[in-house]
Amino acid sequence: MASQESSDFRGLVDCLFFPENVFDSIGSSSASTTPSAADAPASSSFASAGASAPASRRAAARGGARPGADAPSSKRQRTEKVGAGAASDTRTDNETSSNHSTSSDAGGDSDNPDEREENRKERNRRHARETRLRKKNYMHSLQQQLEAMTEERNLLEKEIQEKMNAECGQHSRWVKTVRCALALRAAGCPDVDQWRKFVDEEIVLVHPITPYRSFRTGDVVSNRCVLMGIPDIIQDASSLLVSLAALCKTGVHDAERKIKVQVRFAIDDEALHFSEEGLMCPFEMKTVNLEALGLRTEVSKNGCLRAQFNEEGRLKHLELCFDPISFWRQMQQANTGSQISSIDDLLLAPNTLEQALSHSKEARVVTEAARPFRITHVNSAWTDLCGFTQEEACGQTLRCLQGEDTDGNTVAQLVEDCNDGKATSMEVTNYDKEGKKFRNFLQVYPLTSEESSSGEISHMLGVLKPLGPKH
């Protein structure tokens, strides 16, 4: 009884801690038992398994093997058996399916060779039809993809074309706007409404300092002239034309108030460069009638301009880059007919009161900046020409030089320009203190004081150049 309990206990221990040995023992004992042994109690099976397990471990120990070394082998065997069974089942199913498919394709086995051949041909024809159908479906799919890609490409090309057309239209408007603004500048147009059609109210014009013509010292920023607003643009254009007319010693306006000196601006269409905000291109400014007005040659300047536009397409920023010294030399050469050897030989346009009061051989008179433009300073050349002393002239107006043959309309036009603070000029008949008549060319410059930080006009300078003898 004690031996039976000890055996059962060892079998239970093996069952709990070495189950693989128990199942292997059960499998081997069940394979060798008779049918009557299958009805034996389970406890005897566990006992026998428990009895055989220690024996196997002892045998393994004697043979140098570790206990349970046969377990992996048993697992592999069971896995191989299960895999082999599954593979066998799969082969059986595939063979069944293949036989069914072959039977279906061939219409069943037939002993008649002609029937088998006909079945083979029918199968080949069916396969050919299915292949053609697949190809047709594939080609249809490719065609749909191609149509979709073509439509997408066409939409993209249309969008790009529309954008290019819009940009081309915008670029054309920009070029036209620049041309119109330059044309107004060349004509010295004083009409603010005309300028508003093409430029912004707060337009900014930037160009190099031009010592040969009038400019306000308050407009000089970083060694460049920076003009803001339409009125300043008009004054700057007038100053340019006055300096050119002075070469001919003629007034800037004729009797009908038209500009005498004709100037043309041209831009190079082949060298236009556009950006999101504007354009850049070379330009040329050239006179067309200086020779007709008595000069030896025409003058021109070449440079580059950069223009920016507002949302409405009007010019909001214009920068002109050119060589002012080269143009200055051209002006002097056109006037004298000889080469200028030194920059000291070039005539400077006085722009400050201090420059106006410096020594000069020209007859100069300085007046107040507002009506009635009373005289504040005269130089010795002016007193020699007009006959008035410094004391006699100061406090008077320039009416003291006017007489019967003085053109009142021309004087009124000049006074209007002076009242607007613009540089101007005219040919006028004046009279000296003794009543002698003389024809002269009068050129007027607005002056600022070097002590003024705002650059406001403080005085006006008149330069008189006789055009003939007195009589």
Side-chain angles (χ1 to χ4, degrees):
M1 183 63 179
S3 177
Q4 180 66 28
E5 291 178 354
S6 177
S7 177
D8 292 342
F9 177 77
R10 285 196 300 272
L12 180 60
V13 171
D14 286 342
C15 181
L16 292 175
F17 295 98
F18 305 98
E20 63 276 8
N21 295 334
V22 174
F23 293 128
D24 288 342
S25 300
I26 294 174
S28 60
S29 60
S30 60
S32 59
T33 54
T34 58
S36 60
D39 298 330
S43 60
S44 62
S45 299
F46 284 117
S48 61
S52 60
S56 64
R57 284 198 296 274
R58 286 192 298 272
R62 287 194 299 269
R66 290 181 292 106
D70 294 338
S73 176
S74 302
K75 287 183 178 180
R76 283 194 298 270
Q77 290 175 0
R78 288 197 301 273
T79 303
E80 291 173 357
K81 290 178 181 179
V82 172
S88 177
D89 294 341
T90 303
R91 285 194 299 271
T92 302
D93 293 340
N94 291 339
E95 290 174 359
T96 303
S97 176
S98 176
N99 293 336
H100 177 72
S101 176
T102 304
S103 176
S104 174
D105 291 341
D109 295 337
S110 176
D111 295 335
N112 188 344
D114 294 337
E115 185 177 354
R116 286 200 303 270
E117 180 65 18
E118 183 62 28
N119 291 338
R120 185 184 65 79
K121 291 181 179 179
E122 177 61 26
R123 183 176 64 253
N124 291 341
R125 286 192 292 268
R126 185 171 68 252
H127 288 171
R129 287 194 300 269
E130 292 175 353
T131 300
R132 287 194 296 271
L133 181 61
R134 286 195 299 271
K135 289 183 178 179
K136 181 178 180 181
N137 292 336
Y138 181 66
M139 291 300 297
H140 181 68
S141 175
L142 289 180
Q143 183 67 25
Q144 288 180 333
Q145 295 179 19
L146 179 60
E147 291 176 356
M149 294 173 65
T150 302
E151 183 178 1
E152 182 178 358
R153 184 199 64 185
N154 293 337
L155 290 176
L156 182 59
E157 289 180 351
K158 182 179 179 181
E159 182 179 352
I160 294 174
Q161 188 64 38
E162 290 177 352
K163 184 177 181 180
M164 291 178 60
N165 292 338
E167 288 180 352
C168 289
Q170 184 183 59
H171 294 169
S172 298
R173 291 191 294 271
W174 284 355
V175 173
K176 181 179 178 181
T177 298
V178 171
R179 283 201 173 101
C180 292
L182 293 177
L184 292 176
R185 180 176 175 81
C189 178
D191 190 349
V192 176
D193 292 333
Q194 289 293 326
W195 283 91
R196 286 196 184 108
K197 295 179 181 179
F198 308 104
V199 304
D200 190 85
E201 286 280 357
E202 300 178 355
I203 182 176
V204 176
L205 172 64
V206 181
H207 63 70
I209 294 176
T210 49
Y212 50 84
R213 65 188 181 98
S214 174
F215 60 89
R216 293 183 301 184
T217 56
D219 294 334
V220 178
V221 179
S222 300
N223 207 30
R224 297 185 301 173
C225 287
V226 180
L227 307 164
M228 292 179 286
I230 294 178
D232 285 359
I233 303 299
I234 293 176
Q235 291 184 13
D236 186 75
S238 175
S239 171
L240 173 63
L241 296 175
V242 168
S243 65
L244 293 174
L247 297 176
C248 310
K249 294 183 179 180
T250 183
V252 66
H253 299 108
D254 59 15
E256 298 179 356
R257 194 62 179 170
K258 294 182 179 179
I259 300 295
K260 289 183 179 180
V261 177
Q262 297 179 10
V263 178
R264 297 287 183 271
F265 279 91
I267 59 178
D268 189 353
D269 292 338
E270 300 298 327
L272 288 168
H273 297 278
F274 295 95
S275 66
E276 294 182 358
E277 294 184 348
L279 61 87
M280 180 183 294
C281 67
F283 79 92
E284 179 187 33
M285 190 207 78
K286 185 176 182 179
T287 61
V288 296
N289 66 337
L290 290 186
E291 291 181 353
L293 293 174
L295 292 189
R296 293 174 174 82
T297 183
E298 303 292 339
V299 296
S300 64
K301 62 181 176 183
N302 296 287
C304 182
L305 66 83
R306 182 170 66 93
Q308 294 180 346
F309 303 85
N310 61 15
E311 295 179 353
E312 299 175 352
R314 290 184 296 191
L315 195 60
K316 70 175 184 180
H317 185 98
L318 179 62
E319 183 173 357
L320 304 176
C321 298
F322 56 89
D323 183 1
I325 303 302
S326 175
F327 187 66
W328 196 7
R329 291 178 180 274
Q330 283 190 61
M331 292 173 64
Q332 293 291 85
Q333 184 178 356
N335 187 24
T336 62
S338 59
Q339 293 285 346
I340 304 300
S341 59
S342 172
I343 195 171
D344 295 331
D345 297 332
L346 299 173
L347 298 178
L348 291 171
N351 292 301
T352 66
L353 179 61
E354 289 73 15
Q355 291 175 352
L357 296 180
S358 62
H359 176 72
S360 176
K361 296 179 181 180
E362 299 173 322
R364 293 184 175 185
V365 54
V366 178
T367 71
E368 298 172 344
R371 291 190 180 194
F373 303 106
R374 297 185 185 279
I375 298 174
T376 60
H377 302 84
V378 293
N379 67 351
S380 58
W382 187 89
T383 58
D384 292 342
L385 177 65
C386 300
F388 294 92
T389 64
Q390 172 84 17
E391 292 75 11
E392 291 173 339
C394 289
Q396 294 195 55
T397 67
L398 292 177
R399 288 182 179 273
C400 65
L401 302 179
Q402 298 176 12
E404 181 180 358
D405 291 340
T406 302
D407 187 349
N409 291 331
T410 302
V411 173
Q413 292 172 1
L414 183 136
V415 171
E416 182 181 349
D417 290 339
C418 292
N419 196 49
D420 293 337
K422 295 192 300 184
T424 187
S425 62
M426 69 175 181
E427 296 176 61
V428 64
T429 300
N430 283 334
Y431 295 82
D432 64 9
K433 181 179 178 180
E434 297 178 357
K436 291 182 179 181
K437 181 171 61 175
F438 63 96
R439 188 77 174 167
N440 74 95
F441 168 64
L442 175 62
Q443 192 171 1
V444 178
Y445 300 92
L447 302 175
T448 60
S449 174
E450 292 183 353
E451 299 177 354
S452 174
S453 59
S454 61
E456 294 294 330
I457 297 174
S458 60
H459 296 80
M460 302 296 290
L461 169 67
V463 180
L464 283 70
K465 298 179 180 180
L467 298 177
K470 295 180 181 179
H471 57 276

